[in-house]
Amino acid sequence: MSNSIREYGYNSKVEGEVIVSTADAVINWVRKNSVWPMPMGLACCAIELMAAGASRFDISRFGMEVMRFSPRQSDCMIVAGTVTYKMAAALRRIYDQMASPKWVVAMGACASTGGMYRSYAVLQGVDRIVPVDIYISGCPPRPEALLDGMICLQEKIASERSLKNLYKKENTSIK
Amino acid sequence: MKTSHFQTLKQQFNSITSRPSTDWEAVNVPSEYLVEFCMHLRSNFAFDMLVDLTAIDLGINESPRFVTIYHFFSSINHNYFRVACECTDTEPPTMISLTNIWPAANWHEREAYDMFGIKFQGHPDLSRILMWQGYPYYPLRKDFPLAGIETDLPGKDVVEETKAKVIPAPLDGGPFHGVQASTVKKREPKGYDESWSEQHPKPLS
C-alpha cells in the first residue's frame, strides 16, 4: 500500500513527460494564446484592424486571428473607432453578452478619449462605459501599433491571478 | 447652359423673390405656396431630383429664425435650382413636408428636424435620425454649445450599470483649437483657452 502511494509522488525520473507548473501559469498560457477578438469596428480604425488581420501584418502570428462577430464567441472586444452616445448603450450591451473572462482594447484616439471629436454627440472615451485593459494611441493606429497593443494584452493576461478569479464574481463596473 | 427661370416663374407665382446666389438660380418662396411651387418646378421644369434639403438658423433674435433650403437637380437639363422658404416663428417652427413630391425629402426632413427642431407637417414619420430618440435638444441651433449639454445617456439598463452621463465635451486645448498669435508658445493649443462652452455659457451676441 505504502509503495503504491510512493509511485504517484514526485519522481525525478518522469521529468521528461510531466511538467510541473502553477495552475495560473497554465490557464493564462492557454488564454493568452487563443484570444478571440470581437471587432467592434465603428470608424476608420476598423480599416487598420482589417489590415492587421490581412496577410501583410497577419495578426495570426500572435494567436488572435479568430475574429468573431458574435459576443458569445469572443473574449476580447477591440473598440476600433468613434463611439457616439447613441452607440454607447449598444456597445455596453454587447460587452455584457460576452462570456468571462473578457478584455477590452480601446484602439485609437476616439475610443480612448473621444479623440478629435470634442462634440455633443461623441462619448469622451469608451472607459466611461466599459473597463478598458489596453489603450492604443494613434489616429488611426498603424497595424503594428495594434499588434503591439495586443501583445501587451497578452502580457497582461499572463500576469493575471486567474485561479483566484475563477471563484470570484468578476467586477465589471466602472470606477 | 445657365438659363433663368425666374421671370417665367414670377408670372405664375407673384410672391416669389430672387435670392442672391453665386452659382445657380435661387428664389425665396413663401411657405403657403411651397408645395404648389415645387410641384410646378418638378412638372414643368423637369427638376426631378431633390439633391439636398437643409435649414439655416439665422440667430436667436431673428424673425423669422429658421429658413429651409432645397436644392433641386434636373437630370434632363443638368441644372440646379435652389429654393429658400421661411419657417413659422412658432416653437417648434413648422414647415410643409415635401415627401409627397420627392420621397428623398423623407430622411432629409428628419435630419432637419433632428438638428433644428423644425416640424415638417405631413411627414409620415418625423423622428430623430442622427441623435437618439428622446434627446432633448436640437444641436445645430445657435443657442446650443458645441460641447453639448449634460443629459441622460440612452438606455436605462446601461445607465444603471455604468452611471455614465452625456457630459459637455472638454474643449480646452483640444485638436484644431489653435490661435493666430505672435509666438509659438502662444500658438500652442494647450495655452489657448476657449472654455466658454464648458464652464461659462456662450455669450449671446
Side-chain angles (χ1 to χ4, degrees):
Chain A
M1 191 69 182
S2 60
N3 279 347
S4 61
I5 292 172
R6 209 172 292 132
E7 278 174 19
Y8 288 107
Y10 182 68
N11 182 353
S12 61
K13 286 176 186 164
V14 298
E15 271 284 337
E17 289 159 18
V18 176
I19 298 165
V20 178
S21 180
T22 60
D24 268 353
V26 175
I27 293 168
N28 289 343
W29 177 73
V30 171
R31 282 182 182 170
K32 90 179 176 83
N33 288 303
S34 67
V35 176
W36 286 28
M38 222 238 25
M40 192 76 206
L42 300 170
C44 43
C45 278
I47 304 295
E48 298 297 304
L49 178 63
M50 288 177 232
S55 55
R56 187 182 175 93
F57 297 98
D58 194 9
I59 200 168
S60 66
R61 290 179 294 160
F62 308 100
M64 46 214 150
E65 78 278 17
V66 195
M67 299 268 177
R68 291 294 161 188
F69 294 87
S70 159
R72 303 285 187 199
Q73 298 175 350
S74 45
D75 54 9
C76 168
M77 180 190 264
I78 302 178
V79 185
T82 318
V83 186
T84 58
Y85 284 121
K86 198 177 179 180
M87 192 67 195
L91 189 138
R92 175 69 202 197
R93 284 180 198 134
I94 290 171
Y95 174 78
D96 286 339
Q97 286 166 16
M98 285 165 62
S100 284
K102 52 191 171 183
W103 299 274
V104 178
V105 174
M107 179 184 177
C110 294
S112 302
T113 66
M116 67 174 191
Y117 297 103
R118 308 287 183 97
S119 141
Y120 57 87
V122 175
L123 184 71
Q124 301 294 307
V126 75
D127 51 6
R128 287 177 197 273
I129 52 162
V130 288
V132 176
D133 294 280
I134 299 287
Y135 298 86
I136 302 171
S137 65
C139 185
R142 296 269 310 157
E144 294 97 316
L146 175 66
L147 292 177
D148 185 54
M150 293 301 286
I151 291 165
C152 286
L153 178 69
Q154 286 184 326
E155 284 165 15
K156 184 177 178 179
I157 294 170
S159 66
E160 276 175 359
R161 297 287 306 277
S162 334
L163 205 60
K164 195 172 150 197
N165 293 341
L166 278 181
Y167 304 107
K168 199 179 75 180
K169 192 181 179 298
E170 194 173 344
N171 184 16
T172 60
S173 64
I174 310 293
K175 276 104 198 170
Chain B
M1 194 61 202
K2 272 192 191 178
T3 50
S4 177
H5 300 309
F6 183 72
Q7 290 309 324
T8 352
L9 287 164
K10 183 82 175 170
Q11 287 168 5
Q12 192 167 353
F13 298 92
N14 193 36
S15 50
I16 63 168
T17 53
S18 183
R19 189 177 169 85
S21 164
T22 53
D23 47 4
W24 298 96
E25 219 181 341
V27 295
N28 296 306
V29 178
S31 57
E32 57 264 38
Y33 301 114
L34 180 70
V35 172
E36 202 184 332
F37 183 81
C38 288
M39 278 300 269
H40 186 64
L41 270 187
R42 196 188 68 164
S43 312
N44 303 333
F45 292 86
F47 286 104
D48 49 0
M49 187 173 168
L50 176 73
V51 180
D52 192 18
L53 188 166
T54 184
I56 305 172
D57 182 356
L58 295 172
I60 53 167
N61 295 322
E62 297 296 319
S63 178
R65 185 174 165 187
F66 294 98
V67 176
T68 50
I69 309 284
Y70 305 87
H71 294 241
F72 301 121
F73 176 68
S74 168
S75 61
I76 295 157
N77 303 321
H78 297 166
N79 56 345
Y80 289 88
F81 195 83
R82 192 176 302 122
V83 172
C85 189
E86 292 167 356
C87 301
T88 59
D89 251 339
T90 51
E91 180 57 45
T94 56
M95 176 49 62
I96 314 284
S97 171
L98 292 188
T99 44
N100 289 329
I101 309 174
W102 289 276
N106 189 320
W107 283 17
H108 283 115
E109 286 177 355
R110 282 178 64 190
E111 190 187 3
Y113 164 70
D114 194 358
M115 293 288 126
F116 293 94
I118 298 167
K119 287 258 184 230
F120 287 91
Q121 287 167 342
H123 191 283
D125 172 32
L126 195 65
S127 55
R128 286 187 179 268
I129 191 168
L130 295 171
M131 306 303 282
W132 59 95
Q133 309 301 325
Y135 185 68
Y137 305 106
Y138 300 109
L140 286 190
R141 286 191 176 185
K142 288 223 164 143
D143 47 1
F144 185 90
L146 171 66
I149 301 171
E150 185 172 316
T151 179
D152 288 331
L153 203 68
K156 278 203 179 71
D157 52 331
V158 172
V159 172
E160 257 172 47
E161 206 162 11
T162 63
K163 308 281 186 294
K165 286 189 84 115
V166 174
I167 54 157
L171 289 181
D172 268 5
F176 315 125
H177 278 258
V179 64
Q180 294 301 315
S182 52
T183 61
V184 177
K185 195 182 171 191
K186 284 181 182 162
R187 243 179 275 147
E188 190 62 27
K190 65 184 174 192
Y192 175 51
D193 184 8
E194 197 192 49
S195 56
W196 44 257
S197 47
E198 297 162 55
Q199 277 90 35
H200 319 291
K202 183 179 179 179
L204 299 171
S205 53

